[in-house]
Amino acid sequence: ITNGHNGCEGLIAENHGTVSNLRLRAVTVTSTKQKNVGAIAGCNYSQISNVSVDGSVSGNATANVGGIAGANLENIYVASAAIAVSGGQAGGIAGENDGSVYQAYTTGSVTGQSNVGGLAGANRSDLQESYSTVAVNGNAGTVGGLAGFNGSADGGRIIDCYSTGTVTGTGVVGGLVGYDPDESVFNGYWDLDTSGISDPNQGAGFPKDDAAIVGLTTAQLQSRLPSGFSKKVWHLDPNINDGFPYLRAIPPH
């Protein structure tokens, strides 16, 4: 997929309707010019649900790039991405999230130049009941296992989420979130063993000791559901997801 429209590029350049019950396999989206680049939608203005993607998505050093959507302005739910993402502001689900993402998970790798996260490069709305195992690397800006930046005038929130992927970067780096100025994380966790960030005070790169972000060991994450995680939503099975919590609605393949 090499063409876009109105600054948006993907299988659907701009989604103003409903996309559901869709699986994309071995997809490649490569953009050098568009601002928002995603596998399913460059820009999502409506609903994307019950979807999965595997493959790669890449954009230029100033683009919003995501495994599902470059920019999400509305809702993405029950979604998974096994994806290699690279761009400017980059995330496994969305480069820029200004809507809602819930019950989603990501695997693979995300590399970016500004705000970089396993689920969202920048979250300015809601990430809920989701997790990431993505290896995250940011060359500058903010870097986190789940989101690089979390917050906005309208209030970016992360609720009932965790990450386990390695997190590296040259900017503001945290186990779960790079920069969380409003401390608007509720029941957020990251893996002290697998992330490469073993300092329990570094759940966020800023501020330190972000109260609602808790570091757990691999053994702790595999032994029981973290505090606040609903058994109606989450489940543990030693034979599924390497023993880590997974979403009942979308068990990993």
Side-chain angles (χ1 to χ4, degrees):
I1 299 172
T2 57
N3 294 319
H5 177 70
N6 278 352
C8 308
E9 183 169 334
L11 176 67
I12 301 165
E14 298 177 80
N15 176 45
H16 294 272
T18 299
V19 179
S20 60
N21 306 322
L22 175 66
R23 182 179 184 185
L24 298 184
R25 298 191 63 187
V27 65
T28 300
V29 181
T30 304
S31 176
T32 58
K33 296 180 180 179
Q34 304 296 344
K35 176 62 177 176
N36 302 292
V37 186
I40 290 180
C43 303
N44 178 45
Y45 295 100
S46 191
Q47 311 292 324
I48 296 175
S49 66
N50 195 26
V51 297
S52 66
V53 172
D54 66 72
S56 65
V57 184
S58 63
N60 64 49
T62 62
N64 297 318
V65 185
I68 301 293
N72 176 45
L73 288 305
E74 275 295 332
N75 297 316
I76 296 173
Y77 56 97
V78 190
S80 65
I83 202 83
V85 174
S86 62
Q89 186 166 261
I93 294 292
E96 171 79 16
N97 180 51
D98 295 336
S100 295
V101 173
Y102 58 98
Q103 295 203 12
Y105 75 87
T106 54
T107 64
S109 64
V110 176
T111 302
Q113 305 296 324
S114 55
N115 301 315
V116 188
L119 220 65
N123 175 49
R124 305 181 197 278
S125 190
D126 287 342
L127 301 177
Q128 187 168 355
E129 294 174 347
S130 299
Y131 69 93
S132 171
T133 68
V134 163
V136 181
N137 178 260
N139 293 327
T142 67
V143 188
L146 199 82
F149 175 84
N150 179 54
S152 73
D154 297 324
R157 303 184 304 167
I158 293 173
I159 304 168
D160 301 346
C161 293
Y162 80 92
S163 65
T164 64
T166 57
V167 183
T168 56
T170 58
V172 181
V173 181
L176 187 77
V177 181
Y179 190 67
D180 184 35
D182 301 322
E183 297 188 58
S184 51
V185 175
F186 308 90
N187 300 328
Y189 302 88
W190 90 99
D191 193 313
L192 295 164
D193 299 322
T194 60
S195 65
I197 297 180
S198 58
D199 181 353
N201 301 315
Q202 200 178 341
F206 177 87
K208 299 292 185 182
D209 291 316
D210 200 327
I213 305 177
V214 178
L216 298 176
T217 66
T218 296
Q220 287 174 318
L221 279 166
Q222 292 173 333
S223 64
R224 62 184 180 277
L225 291 179
S227 177
F229 279 31
S230 170
K231 291 182 179 179
K232 294 181 180 180
V233 175
W234 300 89
H235 190 56
L236 277 176
D237 186 317
N239 299 311
I240 298 176
N241 200 33
D242 294 325
F244 289 97
Y246 68 89
L247 295 160
R248 291 179 181 273
I250 41 170
H253 299 293

